[in-house]
Amino acid sequence: MNNSKYRGVVVPMVTPVTQDGQLDTVAVERIIDFFAQNKVSPLLMGTTGEGNSVSQADGQLFVETAVKAAQGRILIYAGLTGNCFSEQVRQAEVYTALGADVIVATLPTYYALTPEQMYDYYKTLADCITGPLMLYNILATTHMSIPVDVIRRLSEHPNIVGLKDSERDLERMTQCIEITKEHDDFAYFCGWAAQSAHSLELGGNGIVPSTGNFVPEMFQQLFDAAVAGDMVTANRLQDETNEIAKIYQKDRTLGQSLTALKVMMQTKGLCEPWMLMPLTRLSAEEEQTIKEKVHALG
């Protein structure tokens, strides 16, 4: 692990909403406090947070509420999605002004982009915004992969501070972590939760596990163990959190898994399992089954 100040557990936080689709600010405050108590940071409006479905107004309210609730105890990572560049720049500047510590941006997704277009997009975005920028590679939703050589070039930019990579490719993971060894101020965050311990053993800076919405303490323990070189403990926690993840992920689409995750969080009084369109809640029977499985965890 290099000396980047960006490290640790960053949970891709769910976006809690009310039945009519309004941001549930009380639940935001509750979840942020839960994270802060467990020493993990949130990534707001990432994939787990239905980022593409959050309005600009609610995005601003979300960041503002989270920053106030955090009270400086943890960093706030703000997700940036969309296809209109000028709006993205404006939104990033608003998030930074409201107190977000890092902007985490996916590729625009309507058009297939060449590697050079990907480079130009991120370079121009980094040039235009005030706050530090982190690249977010997620092939599953953008249907594009930022090439490793493009990431290496972008790592030279003084305002690009790292990469959150959710691509399921072990060779790529190793290559990207090697970039962090060349640049002391460029961080690698693993967004493939099942490889959290392995990525840290390789020298990654942090992990971004969606299951951390439910058990942030387990991922913080996993991180601490891996950094201390105790891979026996880290791998045990990896196996345990993988099993917990199956409760909401197994046999479900990505969208269905997100509302199932909110059902799990509901059992801890953190939020209700309402979703933003086009996603919807599960059936009452499915929700009950999830609650029973959570109860069986003890």
Side-chain angles (χ1 to χ4, degrees):
M1 184 186 299
N2 64 17
N3 290 321
S4 169
K5 69 177 181 178
Y6 304 106
R7 62 179 60 210
V9 182
V10 176
V11 177
M13 180 176 159
V14 303
T15 297
V17 294
T18 58
Q19 185 173 358
D20 60 357
Q22 301 300 306
L23 184 71
D24 187 341
T25 54
V26 174
V28 171
E29 293 169 351
R30 192 182 301 128
I31 296 168
I32 291 293
D33 189 59
F34 177 54
F35 286 179
Q37 287 179 29
N38 287 288
K39 301 180 175 61
V40 305
S41 291
L43 165 59
L44 311 180
M45 297 170 289
T47 303
T48 303
E50 304 168 77
N52 278 284
S53 302
V54 178
S55 70
Q56 288 193 359
D58 272 351
Q60 294 171 25
L61 179 60
F62 197 176
V63 172
E64 182 178 22
T65 305
V67 168
K68 287 180 179 176
Q71 296 180 327
R73 293 174 290 174
I74 50 178
L75 295 181
I76 302 295
Y77 294 73
L80 191 68
T81 60
N83 293 313
C84 177
F85 186 77
S86 62
E87 288 182 1
Q88 284 188 295
V89 170
R90 189 190 74 81
Q91 202 72 344
E93 290 296 80
V94 170
Y95 293 164
T96 300
L98 289 171
D101 296 286
V102 190
I103 301 299
V104 186
T106 60
L107 287 169
T109 58
Y110 190 81
Y111 299 105
L113 303 176
T114 67
E116 198 60 29
Q117 286 171 329
M118 295 181 195
Y119 174 82
D120 287 342
Y121 165 72
Y122 278 119
K123 179 185 181 300
T124 308
L125 183 61
D127 288 341
C128 289
I129 67 175
T130 308
L133 175 66
M134 188 169 286
L135 317 176
Y136 181 178
N137 182 68
I138 178 162
L139 175 63
T141 58
T142 65
H143 309 293
M144 290 181 281
S145 176
I146 308 169
V148 174
D149 64 321
V150 171
I151 292 167
R152 180 173 281 105
R153 289 170 64 197
L154 289 167
S155 70
E156 305 276 355
H157 195 290
N159 201 35
I160 295 178
V161 297
L163 165 72
K164 185 237 170 174
D165 201 336
S166 298
E167 193 160 336
R168 301 187 172 203
D169 183 329
L170 289 172
E171 182 180 356
R172 175 190 172 87
M173 176 190 293
T174 302
Q175 292 171 343
C176 289
I177 290 174
E178 284 301 311
I179 296 173
T180 72
K181 296 174 183 178
E182 301 163 13
H183 299 282
D184 217 32
D185 54 358
F186 186 82
Y188 175 88
F189 280 81
C190 178
W192 181 6
Q195 294 295 332
S196 295
H198 180 59
S199 72
L200 294 168
E201 187 175 22
L202 290 176
N205 299 80
I207 54 177
V208 192
S210 57
T211 311
N213 279 282
F214 183 67
V215 284
E217 71 285 355
M218 292 182 73
F219 286 99
Q220 185 58 47
Q221 291 163 12
L222 186 160
F223 177 83
D224 289 341
V227 170
D230 180 4
M231 293 311 299
V232 171
T233 299
N235 286 321
R236 173 181 60 78
L237 287 161
Q238 182 72 77
D239 291 341
E240 291 174 3
T241 54
N242 288 349
E243 288 302 309
I244 293 171
K246 289 178 183 176
I247 296 175
Y248 69 97
Q249 292 176 349
K250 192 174 188 308
D251 299 324
R252 293 190 175 93
T253 65
L254 174 57
Q256 289 171 328
S257 76
L258 301 184
T259 185
L261 176 57
K262 286 185 181 180
V263 174
M264 293 176 69
M265 295 175 72
Q266 185 185 33
T267 68
K268 289 190 172 184
L270 293 167
C271 67
E272 296 296 314
W274 299 109
M275 304 299 288
L276 291 166
M277 289 290 287
L279 300 182
T280 54
R281 283 183 72 156
L282 302 173
S283 67
E285 292 77 14
E286 280 187 274
E287 290 191 5
Q288 184 57 35
T289 299
I290 292 166
K291 290 174 183 177
E292 289 169 0
K293 289 180 178 179
V294 169
H295 183 70
L297 291 174

